[in-house]
Amino acid sequence: MAPVKRKAGPVDSVKPSRTKQTSSLEGPPTKKRKEALLSKTSKSTSSDFAPRGKPAPAVSLVREEEPAFPRGGASILTPLEHKQIKIDATRDVLFEQNNLNNGRHTHGDGDEEDEEFGPQEASMATATRKKKHTTQLQKPKNQFGAKEEGSGVKIEGLSYGRLVPGSMVLGQISQIHAHDIALALPNNLTGYIPLTAISDELSNKVETVLNRADDMSDQEHGASKEDEDIELDALFRVGQFLRARVSATTDAASGVASARPRKHIQLSVNPKDTNSGLTPSDLVVNSMVQAAVISVEDHGLIMDLGLAAGAVKGFMSSKELGYNVDASSIRPGAVFLCLVTGQSSNGKIIKLSADPQKAGTVKKSHYLTDAPTVDAFLPGTAVEFLVVEVTATGLIGKAMGLLDVTADLIHSGAAVSHMELEKRYKSGQKIKARITSTFPMAETKKIGVSLLPHVISFSSVPSGTKENKSDPLEMLPLSSTLEEAKVIKVEPGLGLFLDVGIIGVPAFVHISRIADSRVEALSESSGPYKVGSMHRARIVGFNPMDGLFLASMEERILSQPFLRIEDIKIGQTVKGTIEKLIINANGIGGLLVNLAEGITGLVPDMHMSDMQLAHPERKFKEGMSVKARVLSTDLIKRQMRLSLKKTLVNSDAPIFDNYDDIEPGMQSPGTLVNVLSSGAVVQFYGPVRGFLPVSEMSETYIQNPLEHFRAGQVVNVRVLSVDAAVRRMVVSCKSSMALSQEQRSNMETLRVGDMVSGSVEGRSDDDVTVQLSGSGLRAVLGLRHLTDGSEQKSSALFRKIRVGQMLNDLVVLQKSEKTMAIIVSMKSSLVASAKAGTLPQAFSDLRQGQVLHGFVRNITLTGVFVEFSNNLSGLVLRSQLPASALQLPDFGMQRQQSIKVRVFSLDPIQQRFRLSAKNIDEDEAKVSGVETTEVTNSDQTLINPVDPTITSINDFSLGKITRAKVASVKETQINVRLADNVQGRIDVSEVFDTWDEINDRKRPLQKFSKNEIIAVRILGVHDARNHRFLPITHRAGKVPVFELSAKSSVQKSSELDILTLDKVKVGSSWLAFINNLADDCIWVNLTPNIRGRLRHIDLSEDVSLLKDVERNFPVGSALRVHVRRVDVDSNKLDLSARSTTGIGLSDYNSLVKGMVLPGRVTKVTERQLLVQLSDDISGVVALTDLTDDFEQANPTIYQKNEIVRVCITDLDVPNKKVTLSTRSSRVLSSALTVKDPEIASISQLKVNDIVRGFIKNVADNGVFVSLSPKVTAYIRISDLSDGFIKDWKPQFQIDQLIKGKVIAVDPLLNHLQLSLKESVMNEDYVPLLTFDDVQKGQDLTGKVRKVEDFGVFIVVDNSRNVSGLCHRSEIADQPVVDVKALYQEGDLVKAKVLKVDPERKRISFGLKASYFKEASDVESDSDEEDVGGVTLNGNQDDQDDQDEIDDEVMEDRSVHSEESQQNDAGDVEANEAKASEDDEASDQASKSVTGLRTGGFDWTASVLDQINNERDSDLDHDMDDGEAKRKKRKKPIIKVDRTGDLDANGPQSAADFERLLLTQPSSSLLWLQYMAFHLQLSEASKARDTAERALRTIDQREEAEKLNIWIGWLNLENTYGNEESLMEVFRNACSYNDPQDVHERLTSILIQSEKHEVRSFHSLHIPPFLLSVMTPTNHTGTIQQADTLFQAMTKKFSASPRIWTNYATFLFNTVAAADRARALLPRALQALPPHTHIQTTSQFGALEFRSPAGDPERGRTLFEGLLATFPKRLDRWTVLLDLEMRVGDRERVRALFERVLRIPGLKAKKARFFFKRWAEWEEKGGDQRMVGKVRERAEEFVRRERERKDGEREVGVE
């Protein structure tokens, strides 16, 4: 908050607060009327609610202004009113708060309140409310009504009329502003708490600040600005509950002539006001009292209760502040509503609690059950009352049997709950509630209470679910529009309650806000606003106390684009109307543009146009519509700035409104607001500004920017750099030229200090542009860098340079890859240094005493800055310049001048160095880095010394004891003043002698305050530049800063003993203070000149504190440390703050097994952690020691430098190895659950133990598993699995967690063996299948282990590696040519056991499909069995051949038993290879067939079996020995042509398709079937190849056939391809076909894909079987793709009506986006030719009828518009009749028939058609009576028509 400023105003501007007069007192003031007023006032004054000791002011009920001179000269005001006016005026003068009626600002909520709307709603409605006129006065009533019940007690809610000065009310903070606080009150009211009505402490501070602003000088004022800030948001929080007392209610002028006065409620939360009338005896337990913080102590807060002076005080413990509230953050002056929890024994101290969770728990306690007087029943107190009467509008009850209690409609919960109050509460029931208000004007003592849960519990409004609660305004912001708000409750005469979709938070719409016109009455069961009806509504406010949104259903509110300035975003484009032209001395100074009712923005004169307008009034007129862009908004001042510049309004560039979102390289237009000689300031949006240097204004040289730029000009700039922290940005108008890849590479390889050459490309006034040879890069050579000589010599050489001239020996001084800038130099001194390698480029290149060549960068009063290369520069102080130069202007130097210097001193910490230009050429000169000049004015006179005995600065000698005044208190030092012109500092290490003197360990210096006088002793001089402590003789500068000590021991000591590092001994203890924090350590000060280091692990024994070192050990904290190591030569000091860690921790012998220590993680790998315990000791935490549950072992969750607690589990001192553990059972508690216990040795394990571990190594002979760092187990290959694993190594990875069973333990040999077999691990294990379990005829499943030409080897599932052979002849029922084409290794198969040879351990399998048919099928068709089996069945020769093959293959092969599982698989493969060589298999058959698999597609293709059934059963395979077999045949083999079967069965193989395509090459149907055939075999690539081949083969004239192929290909890619392949095919299809047709087909495919069902596209001519293959089963996102495609089609083919109607059909039926579909019609009519408008409009109207998302009423509107324009278009009448008949509204259909038959000039033929159709429709509906009427109408029409024609003939005859 800015410092508070004084405001002056007349005293009489504050007027007495008055309320509206009642109807019984209407009329002019009379004596009788005055007596009635006084009588009424006396009753209010004598009420028990009047404060004790301070009578409540009498309240006048006069509302009208009285005449200035009343009759008789007397005033109508009462004496009490006069007294109240005087008090108010005096308060305003004292506290400068005279702003009730003079321009008080509003804060978004608004101050206008009335009987219908509260302030929250009024803030939204101020811009739109119409002034309402009333014809008669009404009694004051609140928004939710006040009703007098049968008990005589009125149920009243708060209203502006009922709030009078002295009223008490409970409120909740809704907004916190700079000078006041907005408090949400019950019943939608808002009051404001000024700065001086909070607490006495805060008022005193405000007064002090105001007085100081007048008295202090500007310098002192600036120094104390931090102390003067009064931040209200640091004292209060939004949502906090407070008790408030009404100070005044005023009607403040709104500032708008036509607007109503704003009703303002001024409140006070000062405990003196809110607790007035209370006595100490009233402060009973569980009562609520308001208290202000006086001071913050170590254990709690001292509170002011505002009672009589010295009566009682309050104390609140730090633990009673509530959850997550730090007592240190509480400031004096803060106010809390507290619960009285007790009192001290003497009754002088009241114990308080501000924990809302505690005070809000009233179920069993914390509510007031008994009180000495009714004064204790104040707002905020929870009470239990007895229900006396329950009405529909609220509750009436009694508290303590004599205090009336009322709960109105809202705070009884009736608005939120759907249940009526009569059902929820009964008379005689006791209810707990919280008091919200008092009614001083009531005739009897009465309080208002709330039963709302959030008010009772002091919490926020509950919204959402139990698991996910959030702020209602976050879920539904203000100004939100609800399309469907459901009426849940109707209050006749009051308004509606709506369900807005937020659980527990409804919305209220007042009856006056329901519609633009007046709503007379409301009903729950009838009318448009009955319960359950849906309406559009807009949120205009929210009251957290009521838990209600405020809404409006007025159309004028709904149609407004904005209701608040908050709704308008910076950078947004808006439309508005010019409201006013602002005229000033220069003419038109700006425009006021109205954006919405009550929302106006200012267009400054510079933003009215891109060009300067000589006569703006000619371009802009009041009432003109304009388009603007929002530049900035000020929510506090309610102001907004706009721009009408077309370059800004029409720009699509990103909006620069936040520094954090801007990155270098981004571009955006900006407005020049200030043009300087050095550049220009560019304004963007909001607070964002950038600086445009003159060098970045143009590619060419600009000498004076004012000649080229002007304020208000828009420039497109590019961001060069941005610093969001300091809100600075540098921009450029130069274009960012893109470099080639070669130039970028050359730029990267170029180094500062390189020697280059180049040709002159151009020159300006003071530099040369050089094209570097061989790189294509440009560099700049400055004029003064041409030579080491004078400026005249450089200028002479510059004039000789010509374009194209070659320049050699150029040294690169600077380069910037970001700006692509290179700076070179030709200075001979720099060139020589670069060649010699002595030109420094970084701080690390510098050495003390080194002589360097550089050039002058800048000249200041204190010295000269010398630059070398790469922006490296150092300072030459005045003292290090030659004496002759000191007398010359600028020391006789110029910028860019060459200079020779020596490195004088280096500061490695801050990377700074100083140079010297003295005696450079003298070899005997010695370098001194510490000597400085003496004070030039040793007898300097002191100004206002703190110690009167000191008169000169020379009096401050070493060891001098004097006095100092505290100037400021920092974390690590106290800044003091010895005199006004002499400063000093006291390091925190020189303040305390002992640990016990420190009260606050984290903030030791907090006990000192500003301007405090303390005794000090001078220690020396502080070097502020290097932060060093120097002796008193080393005074640098005229005014030194003295190093002081405030220790009492130092001041008492006779001799000053300065501690040095050599006096610090190892093991000694010291008091240290944290000075700086590093990543792995902290730096502390023992004294100002001795600094030590503490590693994080040495900070504390409590590792939890080390998790957040910055928070637990802030800078300035005090520590007790002891010395671990001292190195005087290196100036190093290592300390420790751990008590148990001795100085011998660096020795391994000091470590003990089981010791728990903190350690620092130094390295993290996937297998272990490396933890450092000390500088010399580190240990390893293995995977098995990370956690007690191996499943959670993850080293990567730890970060480097993280502090962890570890336990030493093993020590190897000779080898210096430490094994550590982070197990919880080790470092926390041994009682914790351990899932994987530690295994220290093998002796802990026994056979059959189940253990877990991590794989340590995977070897050729097995797996090694780590169970602990010392125990490793071995698993043989045979113990890895029960089944055979051919390639087992990939199944096991290092660090993989496995579980095994101990099968062997040998402690002597330290051998441990595990098994992972399921049979060993699981007791319920089912044994694997063995060879002996296999029976002939058994069906088994297995995997193909190997495929050979003669057959496949199959391994049986769940077996002990039982395997066998399936010969090629047993694979399928048809001859098999290529076995490898059918099966691959790993395929799952189902096989039948054909033969088992126990002797040779051989099994023969069969895979024929016929083996797996049911027996009944086999027996019923023996012929089919013969054909369906082996085609060579019965051929003994072939069977013998197979036996021979089996004998040879299985000769040396045996099934692996349990004992032989480890046999090498190579032997089996060798046998299989031998069998392959000896195989006498059959020759290639004429056709290839498929086998059987256990899943997926049926490869047997039953169609092939049907073909074979028709063939001769004696067809045999051609074997290798076929020549001999054919000699035995007596008949020749006759080859039968089966081509004719294709007509009956269709193509069943690739050969069949190829055969058919030879005869029908242009048949798209056949090609599509061929593609589908490939897809059935999961060969999508072949299907694509087939599509390409089809497009090449089909005749060019067959365009329709080619289109079908394209559509099929699109379907294929949509299903099996990706988006990229689909779009590629789509683009090709568009280039070869009609693009519109292809677009439409693709949209149909995408829509079909989304429906997840098979539908044939007849329009696409795609067969259903192809769609069944191509339709996907899970295709998402295609609807969005179709929508995007439709949008492109409407732009590309906008002249086609079919595109628009198809898009509309898609939106209506598929997307169900009716609004979008309706928006298409205006666009379509604008794009389509006029002759298509009727048909298009008709189709859109039909969609409204036919679509589930359509609205028939809208469709009727469209058709009515058509028929009104074209009444004789009978086809449209027919369409509308068809649609209405479909709807089924018979009366509407009849009315349509009536209308069409009344068309003038309707011909008889057409009329006959409509009459006939009408009669048929009525007859179909079964209404014979109407059928008769239709026929009568038809006869009447015929008769009239005949008469008309006869008449026409007669006229013709005449």
Side-chain angles (χ1 to χ4, degrees), residues 144 392-393 408-421 424-425 450-455 460-464 472 486-491 494 496-508 542-549:
F144 303 104
T393 59
D408 60 20
L409 178 68
I410 296 301
H411 285 270
S412 62
V416 179
S417 175
H418 296 279
M419 188 182 300
E420 297 180 357
L421 290 178
R424 296 178 61 189
Y425 304 107
S450 176
L451 305 181
L452 297 180
H454 70 277
V455 177
S460 58
V461 180
S463 59
K486 183 179 180 181
V487 178
I488 58 176
K489 190 179 184 64
V490 177
E491 286 295 330
L494 183 60
L496 308 174
F497 290 92
L498 305 179
D499 182 3
V500 294
I502 299 180
I503 300 175
V505 186
F508 174 73
F542 174 73
N543 189 293
M545 278 293 293
D546 299 333
L548 284 178
F549 284 104

Side-chain angles (χ1 to χ4, degrees), residues 87-99:
I87 293 173
D88 292 341
T90 303
R91 183 187 299 115
D92 294 338
V93 171
L94 290 177
F95 300 108
E96 315 296 331
Q97 288 297 321
N98 183 18
N99 55 1

Side-chain angles (χ1 to χ4, degrees), residues 1681-1742:
Q1681 296 177 5
D1683 196 353
T1684 304
L1685 192 58
F1686 266 123
Q1687 294 179 19
M1689 292 164 62
T1690 57
K1691 297 178 181 178
K1692 193 171 185 178
F1693 313 109
S1694 59
S1696 174
R1698 190 171 69 248
I1699 297 298
W1700 296 98
T1701 54
N1702 287 344
Y1703 192 13
T1705 304
F1706 167 75
L1707 293 176
F1708 265 114
N1709 298 337
T1710 305
V1711 185
D1715 292 338
R1716 293 181 56 195
R1718 294 175 186 126
L1720 286 178
L1721 182 57
R1723 294 174 52 196
L1725 298 180
Q1726 188 176 0
L1728 294 174
H1731 69 275
T1732 63
H1733 288 184
I1734 298 177
Q1735 179 68 19
T1736 304
T1737 306
S1738 177
Q1739 291 178 347
F1740 271 81

Side-chain angles (χ1 to χ4, degrees), residues 249 328 466 558 878 924 1170 1216 1242 1312 1334 1339 1501 1519 1549 1734 1803 1810 1850:
T249 56
S328 60
K466 293 182 178 179
L558 295 172
R878 290 173 58 97
E924 65 274 12
L1170 186 62
K1216 295 185 177 181
I1242 294 181
L1312 179 65
V1334 179
D1339 293 340
M1519 310 296 289
S1549 65
I1734 298 177
K1803 294 183 180 180
F1810 284 108
E1850 292 176 359

Side-chain angles (χ1 to χ4, degrees), residues 1382-1397:
L1382 299 180
Y1383 292 99
Q1384 297 178 355
E1385 291 185 13
D1387 287 349
L1388 300 175
V1389 294
K1390 182 178 181 182
K1392 180 178 285 291
V1393 179
L1394 301 180
K1395 182 179 180 182
V1396 179
D1397 189 350

Side-chain angles (χ1 to χ4, degrees), residues 12 576 1031 1082 1416 1532 1801:
D12 57 356
I1082 65 171
S1416 59

Side-chain angles (χ1 to χ4, degrees), residues 394-411:
L395 303 177
I396 301 175
K398 289 282 187 180
M400 294 182 61
L402 40 92
L403 185 61
D404 290 330
V405 178
T406 62
D408 60 20
L409 178 68
I410 296 301
H411 285 270

Side-chain angles (χ1 to χ4, degrees), residues 862-881:
T862 59
V864 178
F865 287 89
V866 179
E867 185 175 352
F868 302 98
S869 64
N870 203 21
N871 287 322
L872 180 67
S873 61
L875 175 63
V876 181
L877 292 173
R878 290 173 58 97
S879 60
Q880 296 301 321
L881 290 171

